[in-house]
Amino acid sequence: MKVLVVGASGLIGRAVADELAKKHEVIRASRNGDVQVDVNNPESIAQMFKQVGKLDAVAFAAGKVPFKKLDELDRADFINGLTDKAIGQIDLVLKGTDYLTDGGSFTLMSGVLAREAIITGAVASAANGAIESFVMAASVELPRGIRINSISPNVLVESPGYHDYFPGFEQVKLSDVVRLYIKSIEGPQTGQVYKLG
Amino acid sequence: MKVLVVGASGLIGRAVADELAKKHEVIRASRNGDVQVDVNNPESIAQMFKQVGKLDAVAFAAGKVPFKKLDELDRADFINGLTDKAIGQIDLVLKGTDYLTDGGSFTLMSGVLAREAIITGAVASAANGAIESFVMAASVELPRGIRINSISPNVLVESPGYHDYFPGFEQVKLSDVVRLYIKSIEGPQTGQVYKLG
C-alpha cells in the first residue's frame, strides 16, 4: 500500500508512520516536513494531494485546540479549535477522496474528550464529537468502497505533560494507538470509532 | 421561572414556548421576533441577553445546516453549518451564563444524526456530534449549579417534508420533544443528551 500520514512529525503520527513503513510505502506530511501541509489552508491540502498522487490510505494524527476553562473561552476559540481539528480533517476527506484507490481508507483522530469531560476540555470535546459523528455519517456516502474510521484514545502514557489534566483516567500506550491505526488501514471495517481507554 | 426560548418561531421552538407559557414567564426570541437575535452574530447574542436580563432557563430550538451529498459538500459548507448550528448554541452558553440564576439551565438541540447516518446528512452529523460532546464537557465547568442538557430527537411526525430522507427511522411526536425540554428545564439533571427515537 501507499499510505499518506498527515501530522507525521508528532508523537502519534511518527509512530504510525514508522510502523506502517515496515510493510508499506509511507509518505510523511506535516507543517514543516518533506511534504508540507497546513490543514487550516484548503489550498495547501489540495496542493499536497496533487503532489503525492494516487493513494491507498490516508491517516491523520494532528489537530490543535485551545485548552482553557469554560469561562475563559470565547466564540473565536471554538471557531479556531473546530476549524483546526475537525474541519481540517473533514477537508482532507473531501479533497482526498478522488485520490484514493477503490477500497482505500481514511483514518482520522478524535479522542476520549468526545465522551468524557475534563476541566479546560470543552473545545476539544466539541471538536472530537464532530469528528466521530462525521466519520459515522461519511462512511455511508464515500464511493468505490472507500472506508473511514476514527481512532479515539485516552491520554497517552507517553504524554506525561497531560497526566495532571486527566486525573484517574486510563493511560493508554502509544503502541496500542498505533495498532488501531493498522486495524483501520489494513482491516475491512468502516464508520467505526475505535475507542481506547 | 423566567425562560428565554431562542428559535421561538420554528415548529419546535413555538411548541416549547407555548407549553412553558402555561406555568412560566416566557420570552420568545427569533430572527424576526419580538426579541430579535441572530446566533451567527455574536453582538446580536450579547444584545439579546442585555435586553432580557436575568433568566432561570435558556432553551434553544433552531440551527440551519446544508443537506447535500458528501461529494457536493465543500469546506465552506462545514464551516457555515458548524457555525450556525453548533457554535451559535455554544456562544449562547458562553454569553448567557452570567445572566442565569443559580441552578438555572441551558437546553440545547442536537438530533438523531449525531448517532445515525442518512445520505446528505454529513454536516448535520458533525454539528450534532459537536453539540452533544460540548454539553457533556460544559456540564462539569458551569458555575453556581447551572445545568446544561441537549434534546436529540429523531425525525418528527409533524415534519413530513423530511420523511423521505429518513426511510424507516422512528418518527417521533412533537409533544414528546416538548416534554423533554420540560424535563431538562424543570428537572435536576445536567450533562445529559435526551435521545428520542
Side-chain angles (χ1 to χ4, degrees), chain A residues 67-68 113 117-121 155 160-169:
Chain A
F67 281 87
K68 290 188 205 173
L113 297 182
I118 63 166
I119 303 297
T120 73
V155 66
Y162 288 102
H163 291 178
D164 283 350
Y165 296 93
F166 292 82
F169 281 60

Side-chain angles (χ1 to χ4, degrees), chain B residues 67-172:
Chain B
F67 282 87
K68 291 188 204 170
K69 289 193 176 168
L70 187 65
D71 62 7
E72 294 164 355
L73 287 166
D74 61 20
R75 185 184 186 99
D77 289 316
F78 280 92
I79 291 174
N80 293 339
L82 280 168
T83 300
D84 194 292
K85 177 134 194 192
I87 290 174
Q89 297 196 60
I90 289 169
D91 205 14
L92 278 181
V93 175
L94 299 179
K95 293 190 169 60
T97 300
D98 286 347
Y99 292 89
L100 276 188
T101 53
D102 294 3
S105 68
F106 292 103
T107 304
L108 306 189
M109 191 172 81
S110 54
V112 66
L113 297 182
R115 58 189 179 276
E116 293 202 72
I118 62 166
I119 303 297
T120 73
V123 178
S125 287
N128 286 335
I131 294 159
E132 295 190 357
S133 290
F134 170 77
V135 161
M136 181 267 314
S139 70
V140 304
E141 294 203 67
L142 284 168
R144 301 182 286 106
I146 293 172
R147 301 176 300 104
I148 183 168
N149 301 298
S150 179
I151 313 301
S152 188
N154 214 311
V155 67
L156 291 183
V157 173
E158 290 83 356
S159 300
Y162 287 101
H163 291 176
D164 283 350
Y165 295 94
F166 292 82
F169 281 60
E170 184 178 348
Q171 295 170 4
V172 300

